[in-house]
Amino acid sequence: MSGPRPTRRIVARTLVYLSLAVATVVVLLPLGVVFLTSLKSSKEMADDSGALTLPGNLLNFHNYVTAFQDGRMLSAFGNTAFILVFAIGGTVVIGSMTAYAIDRFTFRFRKLVVALFLVAALVPGVTTQVATFQIVNSLGLFDTRWAPIVLYMGTDIVSIYIFLQFVRSIPVSLDESARLDGAGAFTIYWRIIFPLLKPAIATVVIVKGITVYNDFYIPFLYMPSQDLGVISTSLFRFRGPFGAHWETISAGAVLVILPTLVVFLFLQRFIYNGFTRGATR
Amino acid sequence: MTDTTAKTAVTPAVPAAAPTPAPAPRRARVWRGLTPWLFLVVPLALLITFTYAPIANMVAYSFTDWDGVSPQLHYTGGHNYAELFTRSDLFEVFFVSGYYLAASAVQIVVALYFATILSFDVRFRTFFKGVLFFPYLINGVAIGFVFLYFFQDGGTLDSVLALFGYHSSHAWLGTPFSANVSLAGVSVWRYLGLNFVLFLGAIQSIPGELYEAAELDGANRRQQFRHIIAPGIRPVLTLTVILSVSGSLSAFEIPYIMTGGATGTETFVIQTVKLAFQFNKTGLASAAAVVLLLIILAVTWVQRRLVPDDKVDLV
């Protein structure tokens, strides 16, 4: 190796790291500034020192208390948890049952059923919301926590795909030997297929959990009551009462982001895989 | 809740379905035919109630003047559709999608760049991966607030520019052009991570020997990208393009949270939500939704024709 090659390589390497550094700043700066702002007092906010100055007291959690109490974040986390448990539980049961039935049985109209699920995957939920609203309303679910639960359960095609791929990879001989031992279809599903689906269940729980936790549109439309705020809608309501109090709004935003960050740091690998699998089906 | 009925209903089938060798009695045959449907009854009921019934109703509403509440509705033929295509203020929202469409082009290129360099050996790879992906997981309302503060007068952006000696008094969300560019930029910030991870997964599923062989043959990074990576990620790339187009057309959260659709940032979905739930024009809103649905289905259809995706066979 002689001449310009090593230098060129060094330049290329530097540019690569430079671009990564720029990207890191672009991602972390807005978040970091909001975190700093959440630690400032309202006096510091008023003195016009700019967004990048450090707060006087780095342990000033006053705004978090305000945001948590006045922003009703406790009931928001409670409502979100309630919806999460039922929506995810339902999605897992429904998705795995559908996948089992489609993959392990041959029956009339099977192709039609498959096509119904396939075509539904192409219809974006936002487009049909006006008409879905009328149906939810006529079922008496409007402004209850069941509205988002049934909607998350009933329209999750992606998890059905994920389960289907896993059910396919389970050898049929397992079903057959169980059948020889006298097990019926339900016993096979519950005792053999379901336990073997653990990796798929983990994927669905993670992907679905993050989607439900972050969803704004459905709770915003279907649960307008103050008491029924989930974390998205409760945070959205900060706009009114806290108007220009950016220190409180920032604290609220950080409160909402923090759980996601913790989950992400612990489950990183699974989360990447989950989203890759979810999106590419 | 609902699924327990299915479970209890299946259990009696167990003794009947078990003895297969003997010529199956009629009852057992009926049960065996019914079994898959017992598993499917709840999923299908939900699918039809919350996907197909709304589509059918929506098409029906779109030909009426219904306000969403009153018991009376009149058939108005194609009037809603005519209004949609002739009233320019209703049509303008499609131009706003243009900003998001342009943004997704930028997003795909940048995501592809980072996926490529991070699939090779780079220091702190896990850290950079995490940093690029994390925004995708953040709550949309929180992102909205983070960036409202970012674009504020004297907020993050102005403070950073001041560091470089540029003191702007520009209201970033003040004019339609700069507001839409800012909002589209936020959506790049938010969604880049998903594209990035999809590309990364696709690149890493390309067998490593291919690169080694290419390197032995003296191919440089650019040639490796063109001849190995690009063909390897084609299916994911087309999927991403589809997701971007339908995502750009149905942009809602970020503009709604940040500007509420003010200063010319109203998108199609914001308009539909306002028509339906604020102005009680359910008929007109349904027509708008039908148009959006048709556009998205058309885009998907074109993509399927261009790149026949053999992986999506369920049967």
Side-chain angles (χ1 to χ4, degrees):
Chain A
M1 292 267 181
S2 61
R5 270 210 80 152
T7 16
R8 258 187 67 184
R9 191 160 275 192
I10 289 167
V11 171
R13 275 296 271 170
T14 316
L15 285 177
V16 162
Y17 282 106
L18 195 68
S19 65
L20 285 168
V22 169
T24 308
V25 171
V26 169
V27 170
L28 295 185
L29 187 79
L31 297 172
V33 169
V34 162
F35 177 64
L36 286 183
T37 307
S38 74
L39 298 174
K40 288 180 182 172
S41 65
S42 46
K43 241 176 86 193
E44 284 175 274
M45 289 301 290
D47 70 5
D48 213 31
S49 53
L52 296 179
T53 49
L54 286 174
N57 175 9
L58 273 173
L59 294 173
N60 170 25
F61 293 117
H62 175 75
N63 300 319
Y64 286 89
V65 178
T66 314
F68 199 78
Q69 287 175 345
D70 300 358
R72 299 194 187 204
M73 292 309 268
L74 189 64
S75 96
F77 277 106
N79 286 331
T80 306
F82 183 89
I83 293 172
L84 272 174
V85 167
F86 283 95
I88 293 180
T91 306
V92 167
V93 171
I94 285 173
S96 56
M97 284 201 312
T98 313
Y100 174 67
I102 289 179
D103 189 65
R104 290 301 209 250
F105 293 92
T106 41
F107 53 91
R108 271 175 107 192
F109 306 120
R110 180 164 162 274
K111 284 205 165 155
L112 176 71
V113 170
V114 171
L116 281 179
F117 281 107
L118 237 174
V119 171
L122 303 177
V123 178
V126 285
T127 59
T128 52
Q129 221 51 255
V130 178
T132 310
F133 184 85
Q134 305 299 337
I135 287 180
V136 170
N137 202 7
S138 67
L139 293 174
L141 295 174
F142 176 67
D143 215 13
T144 70
R145 288 179 291 190
W146 296 104
I149 290 173
V150 292
L151 287 173
Y152 294 137
M153 266 176 9
T155 51
D156 192 16
I157 316 296
V158 170
S159 69
I160 295 178
Y161 281 99
I162 294 176
F163 280 123
L164 202 65
Q165 282 187 349
F166 271 83
V167 171
R168 267 195 204 148
S169 68
I170 299 171
V172 186
S173 55
L174 278 181
D175 301 32
E176 278 161 1
S177 57
R179 182 154 291 143
L180 287 179
D181 291 341
F186 182 72
T187 320
I188 293 175
Y189 161 73
W190 186 242
R191 289 282 165 79
I192 296 176
I193 304 288
F194 197 76
L196 285 173
L197 285 178
K198 266 187 202 133
I201 294 172
T203 304
V204 169
V205 168
I206 290 172
V207 173
K208 192 79 187 168
I210 290 168
T211 318
V212 170
Y213 181 84
N214 287 337
D215 188 37
F216 169 70
Y217 193 68
I218 286 178
F220 174 72
L221 276 188
Y222 293 97
M223 302 194 300
S225 286
Q226 282 279 338
D227 314 335
L228 289 179
V230 294
I231 58 142
S232 298
T233 45
S234 298
L235 185 63
F236 186 64
R237 291 190 189 123
F238 273 47
R239 268 195 103 157
F242 301 114
H245 286 282
W246 277 104
E247 68 282 8
T248 315
I249 294 182
S250 302
V254 173
L255 272 178
V256 167
I257 296 174
L258 221 53
T260 317
L261 181 64
V262 172
V263 170
F264 176 63
L265 291 179
F266 278 102
L267 300 174
Q268 252 193 76
R269 201 158 46 90
F270 300 103
I271 291 180
Y272 292 132
N273 291 342
F275 276 96
T276 321
R277 225 173 265 149
T280 51
R281 288 188 222 119
Chain B
M1 189 191 71
T2 15
D3 48 78
T4 42
T5 46
K7 278 177 202 163
T8 43
V10 185
T11 339
V14 174
T20 15
R26 220 179 98 84
R27 262 192 66 202
R29 271 211 319 272
V30 171
W31 264 119
R32 211 171 322 135
L34 267 175
T35 319
W37 294 105
L38 293 173
F39 282 96
L40 286 171
V41 64
V42 175
L44 277 176
L46 286 168
L47 181 73
I48 288 165
T49 319
F50 296 109
T51 302
Y52 287 101
I55 297 176
N57 286 348
M58 184 173 81
V59 175
Y61 295 154
S62 74
F63 294 106
T64 69
D65 64 352
W66 196 35
D67 61 4
V69 234
S70 77
Q72 283 175 357
L73 70 175
H74 306 284
Y75 175 77
T76 56
H79 181 258
N80 287 326
Y81 291 95
E83 196 176 343
L84 209 59
F85 287 108
T86 48
R87 261 175 64 184
S88 61
D89 55 318
L90 291 178
F91 202 72
E92 259 161 24
V93 289
F94 279 108
F95 297 112
V96 176
S97 307
Y99 289 97
Y100 293 92
L101 215 52
S104 19
V106 174
Q107 181 180 317
I108 290 174
V109 172
V110 175
L112 201 50
Y113 166 76
F114 283 115
T116 311
I117 62 176
L118 285 177
S119 58
F120 294 108
D121 196 27
V122 171
R123 254 168 220 260
F124 312 116
R125 213 168 107 185
T126 328
F127 171 77
F128 288 127
K129 259 171 77 174
V131 164
L132 286 170
F133 183 61
F134 183 63
Y136 180 69
L137 303 176
I138 303 179
N139 187 287
V141 182
I143 292 183
F145 284 158
V146 165
F147 279 95
L148 268 178
Y149 191 59
F150 185 85
F151 290 119
Q152 273 249 318
D153 282 337
T156 315
L157 184 55
D158 285 345
S159 305
V160 171
L161 291 176
L163 280 185
F164 294 100
Y166 177 79
H167 294 272
S168 86
S169 54
H170 187 77
W172 296 105
L173 300 174
T175 64
F177 178 75
S178 102
N180 276 315
V181 170
S182 306
L183 294 180
V186 175
S187 81
V188 173
W189 187 91
R190 183 181 186 190
Y191 292 111
L192 181 87
L194 181 66
N195 292 353
F196 162 73
V197 162
L198 293 183
F199 292 149
L200 198 67
I203 293 176
Q204 280 170 353
S205 67
I206 298 170
E209 303 95 69
L210 280 180
Y211 300 112
E212 284 162 31
E215 221 145 292
L216 284 179
D217 291 343
N220 62 27
R221 278 285 143 85
R222 194 167 308 153
Q223 287 163 330
Q224 286 180 28
F225 181 84
R226 251 208 77 179
H227 297 288
I228 300 176
I229 297 180
I233 62 168
R234 223 167 72 118
V236 175
L237 198 62
T238 51
L239 174 80
T240 310
V241 171
I242 283 299
L243 290 178
S244 304
V245 174
S246 67
S248 310
L249 288 166
S250 42
F252 169 73
E253 270 192 21
I254 293 293
Y256 190 83
I257 292 160
M258 288 181 64
T259 64
T263 51
T265 57
E266 190 164 274
T267 66
F268 192 86
V269 178
I270 296 180
Q271 187 186 61
T272 312
V273 167
K274 280 189 176 167
L275 282 178
F277 303 108
Q278 261 174 37
F279 305 125
N280 286 337
K281 295 203 165 194
T282 307
L284 186 59
S286 300
V290 170
V291 171
L292 178 61
L293 182 60
L294 288 178
I295 295 176
I296 291 178
L297 289 180
V299 171
T300 315
W301 183 77
V302 168
Q303 181 256 350
R304 289 272 142 94
R305 291 317 297 271
L306 290 179
V307 188
D309 189 355
D310 41 359
K311 274 199 303 190
V312 192
D313 66 322
L314 268 173
V315 196

